[in-house]
Amino acid sequence: MAPKRKDGSGDELTGREKKKMKMTAARTIAVQSANTVSFSEKSVAGPSKVAVNGLNGLPSAIDVEKFAEARAFEIDAMHNAMKNASASSTSRAWQALPRHLRRRAASHDVRRVPLRLREKARAEMDPLHKKASGHSLPKLGKNKRLKRTELFAKRQREKSWLETHIWHAKRMKMDNLWGYRLAVHPTEKSYRPSHRASVHGSIIHDASYHSIIELKGTEPILKRALDTSCDPNGPSPGSRRYSSGSRALETYIYKSGSYPFGLISPITVIWKPLPLNSPSVIDEENKQVPDPVFADQSSSKRKRESKGKEKEKENSTLPDSETPRVVWIISHPSAYQDVLSSIRTSASLTLEAFRREDENKEVEIEIGDLRGQVNIFEIMGPKSNQVLKGALSPISQDKREDFKKFWSRFTNMQTSAEMSRGTVVGFKVVDPRLKFPPKNAQVQAPPVNDIPSTTVFPSAQLAQCDLWDGAVRTKLARPRYKKKDLDERRSKLLIPGTPLNPERQDDRIPVLLIQRSLEALESKTQGIHGWTLIIPSGWAMAFFSSLVYTGTRVGGQRERQTQAFEAGMPYFPRDLPTSVGYDTYATARAKEDKGRWDRKPPAKRPNYEKLGTSSPWRADWHGVLGLPCPKFEDEANTSGAEGFVSTQREPADEIGITDEGPQMWLLRGSEVPSVISNMSKMFIKGAAVLQEVNKLRAKRGLEALGSSIRADDLLKRALVSVRISMCGRGAPEDLAIIYQVSNDEGKKWERALRNPLGGYHEEETEEEEKVSYLFNDLRRTALKTRFSCPKLFLLNLPLLVTLPPGTFHCLRGKVLASVRFLSSSFWNFGSRLKGVTPIPLR
């Protein structure tokens, strides 16, 4: 065996022994030898002799200077020992920080370390070693050195940064998406904590990358233009519920007049509130239900104000139909060009129709691009109210009664779900940096039998905000005071840590709060509620720092998708296979998955060819529907007319038609249960679907689908969203396959579900015989799909639904059904169903 020492003598110490001796020497306190100490003649070695009276013999006074000089050696030895012990510790300065404060750049920049640890970090660095190893780069001359602004602008040539990019880049995984550099997910393990924050706490997401399109025109023109493009399977964007500006509408947009084909993306429609002196706003205030507590007090007040309102009605000369209105359309950045093209086409067709009705009347619609002019934050979770209440401070000059009621009740709300869906609240706040660091508002538990005395209704008065004014947004594009100016003011305070009082010169920032909910109708999934905060550009970090300091988590794209998944809502573009952005998403996902599969050796990856999987990288919707496989590569635009609306209109009978028949389309919306119920009552299912679609088109003033679309082809090309719950254990992965169930296996599953404790009956009952008969006709098409929530499936029926004992219903034909396998769901398949039981899938 080779000796442990070089010469085998064993005289040299090992590294471990050297380290141990070094630690021992560092922790040893030096003592003064007895030879160097001078003793008096009366001094005797040994224990001290204490007199009976302990005070006798003590000096009446101590000379501090002489006493410290006599103990100088001990004091100096203690200081040296403390210094050596801290310098020889095994942990470095950066390891003393909590994990959420550690930065990779801290290893070479002392300024990244908190002030209390900088001296230790500076002592641990070895500049000579860094210079010798060649890690230090030569500095450029002052003339060639780029400024920080120019350097950042150079790095944004192929993509754009959000205002909070630097904050996110230090803490999150970044990726190029839709022309922006966006945060995907935090670098730390945060999947479960982020979900818990959205359900029990609060989580914030910077959604400033969303595109905003502004429309200006008279109300009738804007209503007709929006109705032509928006989803008819839901409320109209021009209904009075939303046109007053008190609520925001979340809907879907299609290509102009092409419903049910040509799905583009989900959008949010917000109307600018009418002026307070308009007749519609006055009527809305009079129709509001007063609070019972303030009913007697407000009755006399309304009598006094009635004369003033009558004068305001006389002064408002323009009727509401002639009043210029403004509409904001918020859409996903990947679908911006398609949304803009659809709006342009709808506006062009609407203007032509109005000009034909009255040639002497001048009508117009202005379309503007507001990208980069506002910032959007999504704060979700039950504690989002306390976070916003602690970070935002409304100005004291706001005298609106509705806003005072809202703000007083804002803190004690359990969640934002207590407000009406889509409620819009506008107000002004002072600079949030003045009261930094903020403190979360504390919820005060009301008494047991206490009834809230204030009821806040959405109204145009509550939604009034100066953020709609472009001049105000331009003026506030850059804060008047920088952070160093505020720090200088803060340093002059008599009591450190107290918030700054807002002065007359400080900025007042208009903001919009919009209630946001992620919840599936008629489902047991837990909804996630919160707020959408819209602020002017240039103020993102001022608000974001205050919101994050309150303890709320920060999420990226992954956390936003997870929220939709857990709430049972479709997420664009992942769960909308007929939308415009789905092909781009599916192609990028397939490329990523295939690259990961190619990097694995053959023995460590599945052989899809032997498994018989025709499309392992993306869902083969066209193969399931019997359509020819399209070219997934993006075709170049060779028309050269980008940005202009074509004057050639497509005939109404050719909408959604290809050489092989109708396009693939998605049946979705709140009226899907009624559509399927009406379809199940008719003998010809395809004709029923065509009739329901034409009925929805007639709601928006669109012509019926042409005769070139056959009813059977329309039914065969349809998809519908369903939700699937597993009967037993197991979790399906992405792109899982559903296989058909045989009769024998189906019977076994049926018995197992009926007898979960293991009971077994030899003889089949009458119900089991009926189940066996129905299972003989059960065929399910193998389908490649993403298991997201809600799932998308094409059911090659007959579809079997198990009803209460003694009742069975089998819907034959190729029918698309939206089935939610939940015991509390109620769906009409010719009759009211209760206790829907899932069919076991393998």
Side-chain angles (χ1 to χ4, degrees), residues 67-82:
F67 184 81
E69 184 178 357
R71 299 292 185 270
F73 184 86
E74 289 85 349
I75 296 174
D76 187 49
M78 177 62 70
H79 279 283
N80 293 334
M82 294 170 60

Side-chain angles (χ1 to χ4, degrees), residues 204-219:
I204 185 173
H205 173 71
D206 188 358
S208 303
Y209 53 88
H210 279 77
S211 305
I212 299 182
I213 300 175
E214 185 181 57
L215 304 181
K216 292 182 180 180
T218 57
E219 186 171 334

